[in-house]
Amino acid sequence: MASPSFRPAKAPDLAQLSGAPLMADTPGKVFKTLERRIATLTSQLSPPPSCPPLISPSIASADDSYHRIHGEVPMKEASWGAVCDETGKEFTDIIYEKAVGEGIAKITINRPERRNAFRPHTIKELIRAFNDARDDSAVGVIILTGKGTKAFCSGGDQALRSSDGYADFESFGRLNVLDLQVQIRRLPKPVIAMVAGYAVGGGHVLHMVCDLTIAADNAVFGQTGAKVGSFDAGYGSSIMSRLVGPKKAREMWFLSRFYNAYEAEKMGLVNVVVPLEKLEMETLNWCREILRNSPTAIRVLKSALNAVDDGHAGLQELGGSATLIFYGTEEANEGKTAYMQRRRPDFSKFPRRP
Ligand SMILES: CC(C)(COP(=O)(O)OP(=O)(O)OC[C@H]1O[C@@H](n2cnc3c(N)ncnc32)[C@H](O)[C@@H]1OP(=O)(O)O)[C@@H](O)C(=O)NCCC(=O)NCCSC(=O)c1cc(O)c2ccccc2c1O
């Protein structure tokens, strides 16, 4: 038997490439035909995989008046100060910090030995920290992350799953992560998921309900429900379908596959992918850019972007922002003052705008 030998694949000849016999044509015509067909073929090839983006896209330094005025945000580490709970006790399942001198709060799920799986107590602490960040008028943006580089969050702690939810220190189960999801959705400040490692199961839903997601290049995303006998038929399904489209959402839930950071970016699940070592710096950069902008514009935009999907609750959130702004006007004040002075209000001087 002849020994197998390596034979390079035969390159297609020009006639095959152009799809027509070339001999009869003039060289100029052949060249033009080839040029056109190569251009068509090239345009059909998928683009090369995108490199991990540098911190801040290059357009951020464009030489125009917009960029001269607004400039770039300073690239520096944050100095974090730990925050205790409202009774002065240390949190056990989370770390809650605020950046000194900046309007950034960072909430970290701190159960790395369980890939940051949450138990009811973890969720109770998260809810308290998010409430504090909401109420603190110095805070303009909140980062949600997981301790370490292996996981953002691996969902509910399966060791604590019982027939009526997750139970830790109580004799009954809870699904209180659903309350946290609603809280993040309605919180009138941007919440950014900073994801390294696994964001799976209920952890994946948590990053999806955040306003933005910055992913490290080691991030892994997916739903596990169909494999572990669980499902999130609320935001976990509806928000996902909005983010990635109904077909991909079905794929994610029915097959329960995992996706790497670049696949997730392509699907619209994350805003940007950065090298792991630049994850916090990039996230801080996004926070600082947001903090330079109008807090009221951002508040109204967040509720407006959610309103159409959130039905009455969404309209209520958006309407609440409108009332909040209206209370600051002379027109609204005239109504209140007239009531307090027991007189009929005079709204005649206020314009009825077109
Ligand atoms: C996340 C993993 C893919 C990581 O795999 P890896 O090999 O890196 O690590 P290990 O598997 O060895 O994990 C290390 C250590 O952590 C423990 N652990 C990890 N995740 C969990 C978890 N979710 N619960 C409990 N323990 C966890 C693991 O047992 C190891 O411990 P050792 O003692 O053995 O060292 C992989 O860990 C993995 O697949 N994890 C499970 C992911 C998962 O299925 N999550 C639950 C989905 S269901 C859910 O989250 C959920 C929660 C809710 O509250 C809901 C509410 C309402 C509706 C739906 C809900 C819902 O679906």
Side-chain angles (χ1 to χ4, degrees), residues 152-155 195 197-208 219-228 236 240 248-249 251-261 263-264 267 269-270:
F152 168 77
C153 175
S154 64
V195 178
Y198 291 98
V200 297
H204 186 255
V205 179
L206 273 184
H207 104 84
M208 286 195 297
V220 177
F221 299 87
Q223 295 301 156
T224 62
K227 294 202 191 295
V228 299
M240 183 196 285
K248 268 286 173 193
E251 176 187 315
M252 284 196 88
W253 275 107
F254 295 174
L255 280 73
S256 291
R257 285 183 184 165
F258 285 176
Y259 301 83
N260 69 34
E263 289 168 324
M267 282 157 68
L269 273 173
V270 311

Side-chain angles (χ1 to χ4, degrees), residues 113-115 117-118 154-158 166 177 202 224 228 230-231:
E113 70 289 351
R114 291 243 160 286
R115 297 287 185 267
F118 53 78
S154 64
D157 189 326
Q158 296 306 292
Y166 294 82
V177 73
T224 62
V228 299
S230 180
F231 52 82

Side-chain angles (χ1 to χ4, degrees), residues 259-288:
Y259 301 83
N260 69 34
Y262 296 104
E263 289 168 324
E265 185 188 25
K266 204 168 145 211
M267 282 157 68
L269 273 173
V270 311
N271 294 87
V272 69
V273 182
V274 293
L276 177 61
E277 63 278 10
K278 295 195 171 142
L279 179 63
E280 179 152 313
M281 187 52 77
E282 181 71 13
T283 309
L284 287 171
N285 218 36
W286 285 55
C287 291
R288 289 171 182 144

